[in-house]
Amino acid sequence: MFSALLDAARNSPFKAPFSRAQCESSEQKSLVPSSGRTIQAASTKEVEFGSNEFFGLCAVGGILSCGLTHTAVVPLDLVKCRLQVDAAKYKNLFHGFKVTVAEEGARGLAKGWAPTFFGYSAQGAFKFGLYEVFKIQYANMIGEENAYLYRTWVYLSASASAEFFADIALSPLEAAKVKIQTTPGYANNMRQAMPKMMGEEGIAAFYKGLVPLWCRQIPYTMMKFACFERTVELLYKHVVPKPRADCTKGEQLVVTFAAGYIAGVFCAVVSHPADVVVSKLNQAKGSSSIDVAKKLGFMGMWNGLTPRIIMIGTLTALQWFIYDGVKVALNIPRPPPPEMPESLKKKLGVE
């Protein structure tokens, strides 16, 4: 399966734009453009697009972007989860922080950091690595012209496919994290929580939240990738005063951060009800997703939305910033905003 995906990647319609955009970092001989200005070759060699190394390094970028950012916002995530499962005790974001510190000290805000780090690192590897694979594969399947015309659907399909596998990796550690954070006295860390969960409920304890996790994460990731890709395209078209090729790498990363934050706000809203169900489900032993949703009611599934918008907006922006930064640092091909293929321009009479 994966060998077929790699072969498709090497022949992808996305390959040409990648190689055009990377003149800054590609190893090349001196070129003399029509203006007569000489461009010196970069001293570092760029990773080959569509190679095993390319996909592997994209996965590394995903590990760093997701693992580090989710761990950094553990205190906010902890309070958000407690708001979702016990709104009577934790009345709002600031009150939640105050109560947590009063009861457990400042160290209590770090509860669940280990399963968060390892869980979201694994998720990030699958999410970003497989997104690149599926995006190229799906574009290749429908052809260059359709890949441009229906690029939003390509982004949505590729991200959904990648997240399906990413959540299987995340689910056990997410279940342990929520147990630690929302069940008082259950466990203080991952080493205590996971054996205890296995002893009480078996392997099912780690996967009973997988379906609601899919319901939360797949729409979130579809929005995260599709909204980001299209926002970057619109920013360069309507906001940034010069073409992307003329922007420095630092300026490009600023655009990446802005597009990531915009995408993050939409992500938070779309996936929030399922996030509340996941939090409540892992606290309520023996309950199903439907039971939890009925008990919460419509309004109850929006508990903790404000801190989640703050958290997910910042998180998504930082993830894209780190992921793009890793690509810059490791000379991984980075696509420019998509351009209409010449063949399609001729068909449509576009100059």
Side-chain angles (χ1 to χ4, degrees), residues 72-83 93 97 109 306-312 314:
V73 296
V74 161
L76 184 59
D77 182 47
L78 179 141
V79 175
K80 181 267 300 180
C81 287
R82 291 181 174 181
L83 278 170
L93 179 62
F97 274 104
L109 293 172
T306 299
R308 191 157 190 271
I309 286 176
I310 297 169
M311 183 183 81
I312 295 300
T314 305

Side-chain angles (χ1 to χ4, degrees), residues 83-95:
L83 278 170
Q84 291 172 339
V85 302
D86 195 351
K89 181 176 180 180
Y90 304 95
K91 295 178 174 59
N92 54 53
L93 179 62
F94 296 105
H95 185 257

Side-chain angles (χ1 to χ4, degrees), residues 232-279:
V232 167
E233 187 178 337
L234 291 172
L235 287 176
Y236 279 113
K237 186 175 182 180
H238 299 292
V239 178
V240 180
K242 55 185 176 181
R244 180 183 185 272
D246 295 336
C247 295
T248 65
K249 289 178 179 177
E251 290 170 336
Q252 291 176 20
L253 289 175
V254 169
V255 174
T256 294
F257 185 86
Y261 207 100
I262 292 168
V265 173
F266 286 100
C267 289
V269 175
V270 166
S271 62
H272 190 73
D275 182 63
V276 177
V277 172
V278 169
S279 295

Side-chain angles (χ1 to χ4, degrees), residues 38-310:
T38 301
I39 302 175
Q40 296 297 325
S43 59
T44 54
K45 184 179 180 180
E46 186 178 82
V47 174
E48 181 188 353
F49 175 79
S51 65
N52 290 335
E53 184 183 13
F54 170 77
F55 293 117
L57 290 175
C58 286
V60 170
I63 290 171
L64 293 174
S65 68
C66 291
L68 294 178
T69 52
H70 277 276
T71 305
V73 296
V74 161
L76 184 59
D77 182 47
L78 179 141
V79 175
K80 181 267 300 180
C81 287
R82 291 181 174 181
L83 278 170
Q84 291 172 339
V85 302
D86 195 351
K89 181 176 180 180
Y90 304 95
K91 295 178 174 59
N92 54 53
L93 179 62
F94 296 105
H95 185 257
F97 274 104
K98 183 179 177 181
V99 171
T100 299
V101 172
E103 292 182 348
E104 304 173 54
R107 292 183 63 181
L109 293 172
K111 270 192 168 182
W113 75 266
T116 297
F117 175 74
F118 291 111
Y120 283 93
S121 292
Q123 185 215 35
F126 284 94
K127 184 198 298 270
F128 283 92
L130 288 181
Y131 172 71
E132 301 286 358
V133 173
F134 284 119
K135 182 174 72 169
I136 291 167
Q137 171 72 352
Y138 294 157
N140 192 65
M141 287 169 61
I142 62 176
E144 185 180 27
E145 293 180 3
N146 285 328
Y148 174 79
L149 291 172
Y150 304 107
R151 58 194 181 279
T152 300
W153 291 104
V154 172
Y155 304 146
L156 290 169
S157 302
S159 56
S161 300
E163 189 61 37
F164 177 86
F165 295 102
D167 289 342
I168 295 173
L170 171 63
S171 183
L173 291 147
E174 176 74 359
K177 182 208 76 162
V178 173
K179 275 286 189 185
I180 293 167
Q181 292 181 339
T182 64
T183 306
Y186 187 83
N188 291 319
N189 53 53
M190 186 173 74
R191 293 191 306 274
Q192 295 174 358
M194 297 191 79
K196 190 173 182 180
M197 292 169 69
M198 176 64 81
E200 290 178 351
E201 301 180 63
I203 195 71
F206 302 111
Y207 290 99
K208 70 176 184 178
L210 180 57
V211 172
L213 193 61
W214 277 329
C215 292
R216 180 188 83 184
Q217 289 296 132
I218 290 178
Y220 162 83
T221 300
M222 291 170 72
M223 184 66 71
K224 174 179 180 175
F225 282 86
C227 185
F228 172 80
E229 299 267 22
R230 294 311 299 261
T231 301
V232 167
E233 187 178 337
L234 291 172
L235 287 176
Y236 279 113
K237 186 175 182 180
H238 299 292
V239 178
V240 180
K242 55 185 176 181
R244 180 183 185 272
D246 295 336
C247 295
T248 65
K249 289 178 179 177
E251 290 170 336
Q252 291 176 20
L253 289 175
V254 169
V255 174
T256 294
F257 185 86
Y261 207 100
I262 292 168
V265 173
F266 286 100
C267 289
V269 175
V270 166
S271 62
H272 190 73
D275 182 63
V276 177
V277 172
V278 169
S279 295
K280 195 70 176 175
L281 184 65
N282 283 300
Q283 184 201 41
K285 185 178 177 180
S287 298
S288 68
S289 302
I290 296 174
D291 293 335
V292 170
K294 286 180 178 178
K295 187 174 180 180
L296 285 168
F298 178 77
M299 294 305 297
M301 287 194 290
W302 295 99
N303 289 336
L305 178 60
T306 299
R308 191 157 190 271
I309 286 176
I310 297 169

Side-chain angles (χ1 to χ4, degrees), residues 317-331:
L318 286 173
Q319 284 176 1
W320 278 113
F321 185 85
I322 292 170
Y323 183 64
D324 220 22
V326 169
K327 280 190 168 184
V328 169
L330 299 181
N331 291 305

